Amino acid sequence: MTYLAKPKLHHPTLPKNARGFTRRDYEGRVSTLCAGCGHDSISAALIQACWELDIEPHRVAKLSGIGCSSKTPDYFLGNSHGFNTVHGRMPSVLTGANLANRDLLYLGVSGDGDSASIGLGQFAHAMRRGVNMTYIVENNGVYGLTKGQFSATADQGSKSKKGVVNTDSAIDLVAMALQLGASYVARSFSGDKEQLVPLIKGALAHRGAALIDVISPCVAFNNHAGSTKSYDYVRAHNEAVNRLDFIPNRDAITAMYAPGEVIEVQQHDGSVLRLRKLSQGYDAGDRIAAMTHIAAFESRGEILTGLLFVNASAEDLHEHLHTVDAPLNSLNAAELCPGAAMLAAINADMA
Ligand SMILES: Cc1ncc(C[n+]2csc(CCOP(=O)(O)OP(=O)(O)O)c2C)c(N)n1
Ligand code: SF4
Ligand SMILES: [Mg+2]
């Protein structure tokens, strides 16, 4: 029924957030994805997170590449800015937009093909530059849109729908993001909204490069026995290291926990990430330990989920480049161009 437009009227009793918006105000068009596709659950989690954070939709810029996953920004935040780029090129367009206007919240939505295959170079540079963004990879291990070829995140030894075994080693975007210097790195599962919504909220409040790799089963091409990205496999092999409570800076911290069970991390904007430890000895503040832990679980075929690493005091690209506080697109010609005398002085300095 995707030809039907969503009704514009809201029931008057729908709950509203502090900005006076209902959840419906954060929706987009009716999804055209296959019924049961994990990507639709991620869209629902994004809607929930933005509604709960009282984000004004016009303050968000959604950018994506090409793929079923990259189509999803059409299905949420219909009142936000959107840019559907060329396949694998979302990170560079997002970086440019972020440099021009630092005042928006940047949401990059991509697929495993879009980010780990054709867009791997772009992914790497956005992470190492610390672009202030929430980058979500909707990871199903296949190119869903082009009918199910293995992507670069498909595990070695996993089987296609027709029984072909993948002989290539998998690229783990979480491990790469950690190695490249991303400052908020998480993995989740589209079927675990309780875990995913607070992870998205924490990422949106984070200043720096935030990656959430979300295992998101493709029901059409990668949901069979032998796949390591199917609903059944992920449910059976999912090991959460922590549970995240996200507390916006306006909310008082009230709940009581036993000492040692909870770690609180305060972010730049004053919000608090409260990490309830589930895995003994797991330290989300230790980049090297996180990499070792993830690799150890991966070698046993287990999928580690939760907030895997956070550096709440990281600097973002604007701090690296010492840009002015005002968005560059708000500066006039005189402010942007220092003039001929300054150019002559710079040239003389280089002589
Ligand atoms: C330059 C270019 N090469 C190849 C394609 C064909 N193509 C479209 S989507 C896609 C893969 C999408 O896979 P992924 O990013 O994992 O998204 P999914 O559909 O699985 O969500 C490919 C190869 C294209 N559109 N453009
Ligand atoms: S082909 Fe796969 S990824 Fe694409 S919409 Fe269908 S289930 Fe989702
Ligand atoms: Mg894919």
Side-chain angles (χ1 to χ4, degrees), residues 74-308:
D74 205 23
Y75 314 139
F76 59 82
L77 293 175
N79 296 309
S80 299
H81 307 278
F83 196 128
N84 202 199
T85 74
V86 180
H87 197 20
R89 270 58 166 190
M90 176 273 282
S92 57
V93 178
L94 189 154
T95 304
N98 183 302
L99 278 173
N101 184 357
R102 60 188 299 166
D103 276 358
L104 296 180
L105 279 169
Y106 288 91
L107 180 59
V109 178
S110 182
D112 41 304
D114 199 59
S115 282
S117 297
I118 192 169
L120 189 61
Q122 297 240 338
F123 170 86
H125 292 293
M127 291 300 153
R128 63 182 268 277
R129 287 182 173 134
V131 180
N132 188 11
M133 62 182 172
T134 296
Y135 191 124
I136 296 188
V137 178
E138 305 191 345
N139 185 356
N140 53 20
V142 288
Y143 304 159
L145 190 72
T146 53
K147 306 249 177 283
Q149 303 86 347
F150 286 126
S151 79
T153 68
D155 287 312
Q156 196 170 40
S158 63
K159 285 190 185 151
S160 74
K161 199 172 173 181
K162 290 196 171 162
V164 178
V165 175
N166 177 37
T167 50
D168 296 342
S169 296
I171 288 175
D172 181 354
L173 292 174
V174 156
M176 274 194 78
L178 282 168
Q179 195 269 326
L180 290 162
S183 45
Y184 183 106
V185 182
R187 182 174 271 135
S188 191
F189 171 42
S190 61
D192 188 352
K193 204 171 172 184
E194 205 191 320
Q195 183 190 54
L196 183 54
V197 172
L199 281 178
I200 294 172
K201 287 163 78 177
L204 287 168
H206 182 75
R207 189 166 75 199
L211 169 75
I212 312 180
D213 178 44
V214 189
I215 312 290
S216 176
C218 168
V219 289
F221 300 110
N222 205 10
N223 196 33
H224 45 266
S227 160
T228 56
K229 303 272 192 289
S230 66
Y231 281 109
D232 284 349
Y233 186 90
V234 182
R235 282 195 190 109
H237 296 83
N238 183 350
E239 179 86 25
V241 286
N242 47 38
R243 280 275 166 191
L244 183 69
D245 294 329
F246 177 83
I247 304 153
N249 57 3
R250 61 173 184 271
D251 290 1
I253 301 170
T254 49
M256 295 293 291
Y257 291 89
E261 285 178 3
V262 170
I263 292 168
E264 285 182 351
V265 182
Q266 183 155 15
Q267 302 217 86
H268 280 108
D269 64 347
S271 63
V272 172
L273 307 174
R274 182 182 274 155
L275 288 164
R276 282 177 287 148
K277 271 194 173 196
L278 299 181
S279 171
Q280 277 301 318
Y282 190 79
D283 180 2
D286 184 337
R287 190 184 292 272
I288 307 295
M291 289 163 88
T292 311
H293 210 74
I294 292 163
F297 272 69
E298 228 160 55
S299 68
R300 301 202 292 271
E302 301 290 328
I303 304 163
L304 219 51
T305 61
L307 182 56
L308 302 170

